[in-house]
Amino acid sequence: MAYEKECANLLQFRVEGNAPLHEIVFFLTNRCNQRCLICWQWEDDFKSKGKELSDEKWIQLLQDAIKIGAQHFYIVGGGEPMVRGDLVIKLAEIAKQKDMFCVLHTNGTLFKQQQMDRLIYLNWDQIIFSIDGPNPEINDYIRGKGTFDKAFQNLLYFHKHRKAGKNPIPDLGINFTITNKNYSFLENMVELAMETGCGGIHATFVQPFNERSKQFVLNNKELDACKDLLISAKQKAEGAGLYHTFDALIQGLCKMNPKDGYKEKKYSSMKNLKIVSFVETYCFEPFLSMAISADGKVSPCCMFWEEDNPSLHENSLLDIWQGTFFKEIRTQLQNCSDEIPDICRRCPSQLRQRSENIRKEIKTIGDKTTTNPFLLLARFFYRMQKEGISSAWRRVKEWLYIRLGKI
């Protein structure tokens, strides 16, 4: 099961009403060395330096997250994480000592050789490079002169020097924002991923967060053409054995009302509908994940940033995870009513696709759960000896929930 740990946490939530944190996401900084024309963070990022959490605070937060169960660790961009490259390496050393699964999202231009060597040595799991074109002409129009060559050379360095094997470490990926300037190069981006030894390609549509980015949004004619190009890129990626996120984009385009551009059809069927089954929860992110902004605000994901989000200046990580803010969001998403926040309805497809993938796996758990009484008894005693009576009894309750169809 690709989402075995996530499913286990969600089963525990369903049975006991709480579960350990699974994933922690750090937005270390809003500062960036690039001025991408499609970015939502542009003018004021360097003014935020004084508001950023200190290195010591970030280290403490990672240690706190580990104590409450975090197994996955993501370092992502509000800005460019490698602006704080020394901190990234410090956090990497702590996370890998605890055998966390670790991912870094970066524009790839600020790496020093010793930093790349250190990440390779530590068995860092995955590094995803943001590149918006298969060559300097296309990428640099959006990201700035010289950015393609720098990112490309560093991507090649990881490819050449990483640890070999059936699954080379770190796994490499490309994140590609689809705009009206580059959508016709989707297959070329897959070829770029293949050339640089990437294991996957991640794509999202540009989001019209401000007037500047709106000029890059695809019109209806371009969206129609893009759907066919996405299908071709998907076929090429799968032929090369690459992980991709094209399916979610294709499905989104198929559901879209052409007159509404990027807006999806309203979920009128959800109105006042009380969902009985936990597995139909609109999104699982608040049950699994916490994201922390550069200034200490906490969110259930990388998109849910509101003024009343709790802050780590007033609360501990554990208090927020178990507190009212997360409980209310979980209830709203589980009920699937008009109370679902608009930001969740408008969420980029990658996050929603993950919930869909997890949902499919949860639905198959019942088919894979044994009903053999002797095997069940043996597993109960094995779990009791290994993890204690409370863990073994929790597994019994989870089994009952599964067999009675209460998941």
Side-chain angles (χ1 to χ4, degrees):
M1 293 173 64
Y3 296 95
E4 182 176 0
K5 293 179 180 178
E6 290 90 337
C7 289
N9 271 38
L10 290 170
L11 281 172
Q12 184 173 337
F13 246 116
R14 179 68 181 102
V15 173
E16 299 192 344
N18 63 76
L21 174 67
H22 174 69
E23 173 182 289
I24 191 73
V25 182
F26 283 1
F27 288 78
L28 295 182
T29 182
N30 289 330
R31 292 174 286 153
C32 189
N33 61 311
Q34 295 183 1
R35 286 294 181 269
C36 302
L37 298 178
I38 57 176
C39 187
W40 61 280
Q41 290 264 94
W42 220 72
E43 291 91 353
D44 297 327
D45 59 349
F46 278 90
K47 296 179 182 178
S48 68
K49 181 177 180 180
K51 300 178 182 179
E52 292 178 0
L53 299 179
S54 66
D55 288 12
E56 293 73 21
K57 183 64 173 178
W58 282 116
I59 290 170
Q60 176 199 323
L61 288 171
L62 178 57
Q63 293 169 338
D64 290 346
I66 292 169
K67 288 178 182 178
I68 60 176
Q71 298 173 325
H72 285 205
F73 177 41
Y74 286 74
I75 300 177
V76 300
E80 166 51 41
M82 294 309 295
V83 167
R84 301 182 72 172
D86 291 341
L87 174 58
V88 169
I89 299 302
K90 290 177 185 177
L91 294 170
E93 290 172 344
I94 295 169
K96 294 312 297 182
Q97 283 177 359
K98 297 298 182 179
D99 200 28
M100 300 181 81
F101 180 84
C102 299
V103 181
L104 171 64
H105 286 252
T106 174
N107 64 39
T109 62
L110 292 181
F111 282 114
K112 299 173 183 176
Q113 182 177 325
Q114 60 266 35
Q115 293 170 336
M116 293 189 283
D117 291 339
R118 190 61 180 163
L119 290 172
I120 293 169
Y121 173 80
L122 290 169
N123 294 322
W124 188 266
D125 295 279
Q126 187 176 54
I127 303 173
I128 300 175
F129 283 65
S130 293
I131 299 176
D132 288 324
N135 55 50
E137 180 182 4
I138 299 167
N139 177 84
D140 292 5
Y141 175 79
I142 293 172
R143 292 189 160 267
K145 187 176 180 180
T147 56
F148 179 87
D149 288 337
K150 289 179 181 177
F152 181 72
Q153 291 304 318
N154 288 336
L155 190 52
L156 284 179
Y157 186 90
F158 276 112
H159 176 38
K160 181 179 179 181
H161 294 90
R162 63 183 173 172
K163 295 180 180 178
K166 183 177 179 181
N167 298 305
I169 299 176
D171 177 40
L172 302 172
I174 289 176
N175 187 63
F176 176 59
T177 302
I178 300 173
T179 71
N180 55 20
K181 305 298 182 185
N182 62 20
Y183 74 94
S184 60
F185 296 92
L186 282 162
E187 285 194 58
N188 302 91
M189 290 302 296
V190 174
E191 291 168 358
L192 177 66
M194 294 163 58
E195 177 187 354
T196 52
C198 291
I201 181 165
H202 309 247
T204 56
F205 284 116
V206 62
Q207 298 295 312
F209 288 118
N210 53 41
E211 291 302 318
R212 185 183 300 102
S213 59
K214 286 180 182 178
Q215 64 181 306
F216 292 96
V217 173
L218 282 70
N219 61 35
N220 291 330
K221 183 177 180 180
E222 291 165 336
L223 286 171
D224 286 339
C226 187
K227 183 167 70 173
D228 293 333
L229 293 167
L230 281 166
I231 293 171
S232 297
K234 163 186 160 70
Q235 293 171 344
K236 182 179 281 289
E238 290 176 352
L242 297 182
Y243 168 82
H244 64 82
T245 60
F246 296 138
D247 283 328
L249 300 181
I250 294 167
Q251 291 168 13
L253 288 176
C254 290
K255 294 177 182 178
M256 189 182 299
N257 184 339
K259 295 181 180 180
D260 291 336
Y262 280 121
K263 296 179 181 178
E264 293 187 39
K265 293 179 182 179
K266 187 174 180 180
Y267 288 83
S268 56
S269 62
M270 292 287 190
K271 188 174 182 180
N272 299 320
L273 178 62
K274 182 77 172 181
I275 298 295
V276 176
S277 175
F278 177 78
V279 73
E280 297 299 335
T281 296
Y282 189 83
C283 176
F284 293 121
E285 292 299 313
F287 298 85
L288 299 168
S289 177
M290 295 179 77
I292 304 174
S293 70
D295 62 355
K297 285 276 191 177
V298 179
S299 165
C301 68
C302 62
M303 292 298 296
F304 198 107
W305 301 108
E306 302 286 343
E307 188 174 341
D308 59 351
N309 282 27
S311 170
L312 287 161
H313 292 291
E314 291 90 30
N315 308 275
S316 72
L317 207 63
L318 179 60
D319 287 342
I320 294 174
W321 179 244
Q322 297 179 343
T324 302
F325 176 76
F326 269 76
K327 287 180 179 177
E328 289 181 352
I329 295 173
R330 291 167 189 150
T331 299
Q332 290 170 354
L333 295 176
Q334 188 176 349
N335 289 345
C336 285
S337 68
D338 281 348
E339 294 182 353
I340 293 175
D342 287 340
I343 197 167
C344 297
R345 296 188 189 278
R346 295 183 281 105
C347 178
S349 57
Q350 282 193 41
L351 285 176
R352 290 176 62 179
Q353 186 61 43
R354 181 164 82 154
S355 281
E356 288 302 318
N357 293 341
I358 293 172
R359 192 184 331 277
K360 290 176 183 177
E361 291 207 8
I362 293 175
K363 288 180 177 180
T364 67
I365 288 176
D367 299 331
K368 299 176 181 179
T369 302
T370 184
T371 57
N372 184 314
F374 299 104
L375 185 56
L376 288 170
L377 192 62
R379 288 180 177 177
F380 175 82
F381 283 111
Y382 174 79
R383 195 178 185 105
M384 184 173 66
Q385 290 176 341
K386 186 177 180 181
E387 300 180 16
I389 185 64
S390 60
S391 177
W393 178 240
R394 185 180 73 240
R395 180 58 188 142
V396 170
K397 290 190 288 184
E398 290 173 359
W399 183 87
L400 288 171
Y401 267 69
I402 293 168
R403 300 311 304 176
L404 295 174
K406 290 186 176 183
I407 298 297

